[in-house]
Amino acid sequence: MTTVVKTNKKSCSCLSCELRELVFSSLDDEDINIVCEAREERAYARGEIIHREGDLIHDFKYLKTGLVKLYKSTNEGEEQIITITRPLEFVSNTNAFHEERYRYSLSALEDSVVCCVRIDLIRQLILRNGRFALNLISLLSKTSENIISLSLEIRQRNLAGRIAYVLLYFSNEIFKSRIFELPVSRKEIADLISMSSANVIRTFSEFRRDGIIKANGRTIEIADIQKLEVISRRG
Amino acid sequence: MTTVVKTNKKSCSCLSCELRELVFSSLDDEDINIVCEAREERAYARGEIIHREGDLIHDFKYLKTGLVKLYKSTNEGEEQIITITRPLEFVSNTNAFHEERYRYSLSALEDSVVCCVRIDLIRQLILRNGRFALNLISLLSKTSENIISLSLEIRQRNLAGRIAYVLLYFSNEIFKSRIFELPVSRKEIADLISMSSANVIRTFSEFRRDGIIKANGRTIEIADIQKLEVISRRG
DNA sequence: CGCGGCTTTGATGTTCATCAAGTAAAGTGG
DNA sequence: CCACTTTACTTGATGAACATCAAAGCCGCG
């Protein structure tokens, strides 16, 4: 279950939080303390839903640790995965400033910790701290841009190209390693690249046969990165 | 060619600009005058390129009148159309705050007027006017959200569903009429929905045969909107 | 230890891209 | 303004890419 981690108010941990630099770099110590007292850290186990589309937006949320997927449920009960991302991308917050409710659901692919600050407080900070506002605009833009860019990259490729791209994405962006534990099922990869899970699996098998990857369940090793890059480029 | 419309500095037209409410509603008259003197209106003829991907971003741009397409050139010399939009969507500006150069190209589908304000000035306004900042965040979020939403809607449909969706999009969002002049070629629709132009044309022909639309060149009339909506939903 | 969901593979059919060839429309230069 | 060129549109035929269906094995979880 979700665990609420109590913040120790005596020594505000935000002051030295490694993430302060990225999100709250423009706040002075006084404002940081206000945020710190208002914030709430929530821990989610792998598989837990952080919020559902349609839920009211109360908080500005950012991922401190873990890995999450942002997705939308289609009419047919399928999931469309929009992005899979590490800290510090505010995946769920792009619409927090112009809508009342979440448009997309967010769930934890690994055990994750989310830091939550009431959205009203963030609004107040924007109102009185221009540097914070500018910083935030930049971060939100980057988040949206990443989502848009991913969708453009995916849609210009065929099945094999999409899988190659996704494998390189996990390897380069998410895990920074050629060997990694896939955080998603084959079905979820299918939901990310808009292909059928059967064909995703088939392509994995082909890549394995061709010596491009070594796959054992969710453990993936990229064996021939050049070949994979070629497939990703011309696919 | 591009025409620069000189601004009459004696009586700032921004004060009464119908768009002021949407973009600059939080600026007092003094700030509006500063923007007004710094801004530059540019008129683009149908077909003209407003900016190219890779160009340096000097200005914050917003569309006053007309219709534009945002697109990206792929490695194979093809165009991927990201969105087609009317005022007041800041299609080109989502990355103005975190990058130096445009990621995507923008061109005019109809004669268009773009209002340009140096991005530095916008930054200054954000710094000293929190309400303006909050407003801008909301607008930028909405713009990005529209792009993301369009891509999700498109990618969950098959060929016929995509075409039905696009026709309804033009009819409902862009022209607000059942009869309209398509602002794009069949090829451009193909580039928007990631299908081949031959199949886009074929589907138009089928819709015509089935009495769903009346199409004469670029003039389109939606004859059976119910059927089109059914195709869009289950396609 | 049994059940349900994920994975795997093969077979089959549908959807869509590609190729080709012809027509219409829209620029372009003399 | 007309001949010419190019670009857009249209349709049919073919094959490739992908979805779907089905059956069997596997794995994790209660």
Side-chain angles (χ1 to χ4, degrees):
Chain A
M1 277 302 299
T2 311
T3 313
V4 174
V5 180
K6 285 276 158 51
T7 309
N8 180 346
K9 292 190 181 181
K10 297 229 170 121
S11 71
C12 169
S13 60
C14 301
L15 280 170
S16 57
C17 175
E18 56 189 327
L19 305 183
R20 176 182 177 182
E21 197 184 334
L22 280 145
V23 199
F24 298 111
S25 61
S26 344
L27 298 186
D28 56 27
D29 287 359
E30 191 184 342
D31 276 346
I32 278 284
N33 269 309
I34 293 173
V35 169
C36 199
E37 296 199 8
R39 89 199 165 86
E40 199 176 84
E41 265 184 29
R42 300 197 189 116
Y44 296 88
R46 173 186 163 153
E48 264 192 291
I49 292 178
I50 298 169
H51 61 69
R52 288 190 165 79
E53 53 194 289
D55 285 356
L56 280 170
I57 303 175
H58 298 297
D59 297 313
F60 180 84
K61 297 180 179 178
Y62 64 94
L63 188 61
K64 278 191 78 169
T65 61
L67 185 69
V68 295
K69 73 168 175 182
L70 185 72
Y71 62 99
K72 180 188 169 174
S73 304
T74 68
N75 305 327
E76 297 84 36
E78 295 290 300
E79 279 180 10
Q80 274 186 298
I81 297 182
I82 299 163
T83 188
I84 291 171
T85 179
R86 284 239 175 265
L88 266 175
E89 318 232 346
F90 309 94
V91 288
S92 69
N93 290 295
T94 40
N95 66 344
F97 294 98
H98 74 284
E99 287 182 321
E100 244 197 331
R101 293 168 184 279
Y102 292 108
R103 271 184 187 239
Y104 309 120
S105 302
L106 187 68
S107 75
L109 291 173
E110 297 175 355
D111 294 354
S112 297
V113 175
V114 177
C115 193
C116 304
V117 183
R118 279 180 299 100
I119 188 80
D120 291 338
L121 178 54
I122 299 293
R123 275 182 217 277
Q124 284 170 32
L125 290 175
I126 292 167
L127 285 174
R128 73 160 182 265
N129 185 333
R131 198 145 288 285
F132 174 71
L134 203 48
N135 215 315
L136 194 61
I137 288 177
S138 170
L139 279 169
L140 291 174
S141 302
K142 209 179 295 177
T143 302
S144 304
E145 178 48 42
N146 284 342
I147 292 175
I148 293 167
S149 169
L150 178 63
S151 103
L152 293 175
E153 294 294 338
I154 293 291
R155 83 181 224 212
Q156 78 183 56
R157 290 171 165 82
N158 65 16
L159 174 57
R162 290 181 188 188
I163 303 232
Y165 184 85
V166 166
L167 287 174
L168 290 168
Y169 177 77
F170 280 126
S171 174
N172 298 331
E173 311 291 325
I174 305 283
F175 295 103
K176 314 205 185 287
S177 162
R178 285 198 189 182
I179 307 183
F180 53 88
E181 194 74 7
L182 259 191
V184 289
S185 67
R186 311 288 194 259
K187 173 86 180 73
E188 285 173 307
I189 292 180
D191 292 339
L192 176 63
I193 68 174
S194 301
M195 296 276 167
S196 72
S197 62
N199 277 330
V200 169
I201 289 162
R202 218 183 302 276
T203 307
F204 267 81
S205 301
E206 282 162 21
F207 283 1
R208 195 178 328 115
R209 260 199 298 282
D210 298 346
I212 297 170
I213 60 170
K214 289 174 188 160
N216 180 13
R218 290 199 173 186
T219 307
I220 304 286
E221 177 185 348
I222 297 181
D224 190 339
I225 198 163
Q226 276 89 2
K227 237 182 231 173
L228 204 58
E229 279 165 351
V230 169
I231 294 172
S232 170
R233 253 180 275 120
R234 63 111 230 260
Chain B
M1 275 303 296
T2 310
T3 314
V4 174
V5 181
K6 283 276 158 49
T7 309
N8 180 345
K9 293 192 181 182
K10 295 230 171 119
S11 70
C12 167
S13 60
C14 301
L15 280 169
S16 58
C17 174
E18 55 187 328
L19 304 184
R20 176 183 176 184
E21 196 184 336
L22 280 145
V23 199
F24 298 113
S25 61
S26 345
L27 298 186
D28 57 28
D29 287 359
E30 191 185 342
D31 277 346
I32 278 285
N33 269 310
I34 293 173
V35 169
C36 199
E37 294 197 13
R39 89 198 167 86
E40 199 176 84
E41 266 183 29
R42 301 197 189 116
Y44 296 88
R46 173 186 164 153
E48 262 191 292
I49 291 178
I50 298 168
H51 61 69
R52 287 190 167 79
E53 51 194 290
D55 284 357
L56 279 170
I57 303 174
H58 298 297
D59 298 312
F60 180 84
K61 298 180 178 178
Y62 62 96
L63 189 62
K64 278 191 78 168
T65 61
L67 186 70
V68 295
K69 74 168 175 182
L70 185 72
Y71 63 99
K72 179 186 171 175
S73 304
T74 67
N75 306 327
E76 296 83 38
E78 294 289 298
E79 278 181 9
Q80 273 185 298
I81 297 183
I82 300 164
T83 188
I84 290 170
T85 180
R86 284 239 176 266
L88 265 177
E89 319 231 348
F90 310 94
V91 288
S92 69
N93 289 296
T94 41
N95 66 343
F97 293 99
H98 73 285
E99 288 182 321
E100 243 196 333
R101 294 170 183 277
Y102 291 108
R103 269 182 187 242
Y104 310 120
S105 303
L106 186 69
S107 76
L109 292 174
E110 297 175 356
D111 293 355
S112 297
V113 175
V114 177
C115 195
C116 304
V117 183
R118 280 180 299 100
I119 189 80
D120 291 338
L121 178 54
I122 299 292
R123 275 183 217 277
Q124 284 169 33
L125 290 174
I126 292 167
L127 284 175
R128 72 160 183 264
N129 185 332
R131 198 145 287 286
F132 174 71
L134 204 48
N135 215 315
L136 194 61
I137 288 177
S138 170
L139 280 168
L140 292 174
S141 302
K142 210 179 295 178
T143 302
S144 304
E145 179 48 42
N146 284 342
I147 291 174
I148 293 166
S149 169
L150 178 63
S151 102
L152 292 175
E153 293 294 338
I154 293 290
R155 83 180 223 211
Q156 78 183 58
R157 290 171 165 81
N158 64 17
L159 174 57
R162 291 181 187 188
I163 304 241
Y165 183 86
V166 165
L167 286 174
L168 291 168
Y169 177 78
F170 280 127
S171 174
N172 298 331
E173 310 292 325
I174 306 283
F175 296 104
K176 312 200 186 289
S177 162
R178 284 196 190 182
I179 307 181
F180 53 88
E181 194 75 8
L182 259 191
V184 288
S185 66
R186 310 288 194 259
K187 174 85 178 74
E188 284 172 307
I189 292 181
D191 291 339
L192 176 63
I193 68 174
S194 303
M195 296 277 168
S196 73
S197 62
N199 278 330
V200 169
I201 289 162
R202 217 183 304 275
T203 307
F204 268 81
S205 301
E206 282 162 18
F207 283 2
R208 197 181 323 116
R209 262 199 298 282
D210 298 346
I212 297 170
I213 61 170
K214 289 174 189 161
N216 182 13
R218 291 198 174 186
T219 307
I220 304 285
E221 179 186 348
I222 297 180
D224 190 339
I225 197 164
Q226 277 89 2
K227 236 182 233 174
L228 205 57
E229 280 166 350
V230 168
I231 294 172
S232 171
R233 253 179 275 120
R234 63 110 231 257

